[in-house]
Amino acid sequence: MFNFAFNSFYEAIYMNGHGIYVWSVLIIVLFSLLVFFTVYQYKIKKIKEKLDEFN
Amino acid sequence: MIKKFIHQFASPKTFLLQVDKFYGLIFFTSLCIYIFSIIWGLLFTPEDFVQGNSFRIMYLHVPASFLSQSLYIAMAVSSATYLIWRVKLAAYFVIAIAPIGAMTTFIALVSGSIWGIPTWGTWWQWDARITSTLILFIMYLGLISLHNSFSNYEKADKLLSWLVIVGAVNIPIIKKSVDWWTTLHQSASITLTNKPSIDPVMLYPLIGTIIGFFGLIICLILISSKNQIFIREKNKSWVKDYV
């Protein structure tokens, strides 16, 4: 079940020509998650700073 | 009794305290499951006989598609809770979930389009599943824009809740589109009633990515809701004490 599906690292990247599709989707998903987590954490930080100022 | 239960556990203050308690645990568990399952799916599952290695996009596309519809259902349930029991937190959830739902729908559409290039020979087709998912994405954007256009939050919450409930009619259409019409998109490989048509070697990492992605999206909803609570309740004394 946990056998590496490729013969080399290059093969894993290339994936018989499908690597460009698979890895680009992975980048889009991880980038979207990272942006959303960063933006919300930043918004909370900003609003906390504002509330601190009022206090 | 239901009303009492909801009001007891749905106060924004109680919610924030619970979020602080469990957020780290949910986040790190989900992240570990997601990373492990992605590596398992992308590098350790055998190549598909028909689709070749492009089938590995499934490990990114399916969780996003599943969540895009589930989040809309969550919004509809929250909307109904707000309209029936007047629970403020439910209204905060609706607008907190909307951008995250738009993001997951966007991922589902883009990953599906990219998957379509090697599999179908085209990145777009106006078939029922893809078109109804595009409508879902436009609905998410419309609901966010509508809410942002109001200065009166209460009016915006009411209108948004009604629109979300009306728009929920699109969810069974998306779900059943592959059965009702002839579509380029394949029918569901995993259903609640039938045995999965996908091999267990490929299925287990898929379940892992769904669970991991679901957990990460829950975390996003928690911090998005926290943000909404701070915006809406900033003048309350308990928020000042909390900060």
Side-chain angles (χ1 to χ4, degrees), chain A residues 1-6 12 15-16 18 21-26 28-30 32-33 36-37 40-41 43-44 47-48 51-52 55, chain B residues 23 27 34 40 42-45 47 51 53-54 56 60 99 103 107 110-111 114 117-118 204 216 223-224 227 230-231 234 240 243:
Chain A
M1 191 169 271
F2 289 103
N3 294 327
F4 193 57
F6 305 94
M15 289 185 178
N16 286 332
H18 290 157
Y21 306 114
V22 176
W23 298 116
S24 56
V25 171
L26 179 69
I28 291 166
V29 172
L30 296 183
S32 306
L33 284 173
F36 267 69
F37 272 107
Y40 281 123
Q41 295 288 9
K43 276 184 177 177
I44 288 173
I47 207 159
K48 271 187 175 177
L51 287 169
D52 263 343
N55 282 348
Chain B
Y23 179 81
F27 179 78
Y34 192 61
W40 185 6
L42 296 190
L43 300 174
F44 289 88
T45 51
E47 191 177 333
Q51 294 190 36
N53 284 306
S54 69
R56 295 177 201 280
L60 302 154
M103 183 261 277
I107 292 174
V110 172
S111 59
I114 294 173
I117 299 168
Y204 296 146
L216 289 175
I223 52 171
S224 171
N227 183 47
F230 281 151
I231 293 169
K234 62 186 172 204
K240 287 168 187 165
V243 171

Side-chain angles (χ1 to χ4, degrees), chain B residues 149-211:
Chain B
S149 67
F150 277 82
S151 52
N152 183 333
Y153 283 133
E154 207 171 310
K155 268 187 185 172
D157 289 340
K158 264 188 201 166
L159 184 65
L160 195 74
S161 299
W162 280 114
L163 284 174
V164 167
I165 290 169
V166 172
V169 74
N170 191 35
I171 300 301
I173 294 174
I174 297 174
K175 184 83 192 128
K176 285 284 171 191
S177 57
V178 286
D179 303 323
W180 290 341
W181 294 283
T182 307
T183 57
L184 200 55
H185 195 284
Q186 66 168 73
S187 46
S189 303
I190 309 167
T191 58
L192 289 174
T193 48
N194 299 324
K195 200 181 163 203
S197 59
I198 177 171
D199 192 276
V201 177
M202 294 167 176
L203 179 66
Y204 296 146
L206 178 63
I207 293 170
T209 55
I210 293 172
I211 294 170

Side-chain angles (χ1 to χ4, degrees), chain B residues 96-165:
Chain B
I97 294 171
I100 300 159
M103 183 261 277
T104 54
T105 314
F106 173 78
I107 292 174
L109 284 168
V110 172
S111 59
S113 293
I114 294 173
W115 196 0
I117 299 168
T119 314
W120 300 333
T122 179
W123 65 276
W124 189 263
Q125 184 77 38
W126 291 101
D127 87 350
R129 170 60 69 88
I130 304 168
T131 309
S132 53
T133 306
L134 178 66
I135 291 170
L136 180 68
F137 180 61
I138 295 167
M139 273 163 54
Y140 274 125
L141 295 185
L143 291 168
I144 298 164
S145 309
L146 183 83
H147 195 271
N148 289 344
S149 67
F150 277 82
S151 52
N152 183 333
Y153 283 133
E154 207 171 310
K155 268 187 185 172
D157 289 340
K158 264 188 201 166
L159 184 65
L160 195 74
S161 299
W162 280 114
L163 284 174
V164 167
I165 290 169

Side-chain angles (χ1 to χ4, degrees), chain B residues 72-83:
Chain B
Y72 197 91
I73 295 169
M75 278 173 69
V77 171
S78 295
S79 297
T81 308
Y82 172 65
L83 291 172

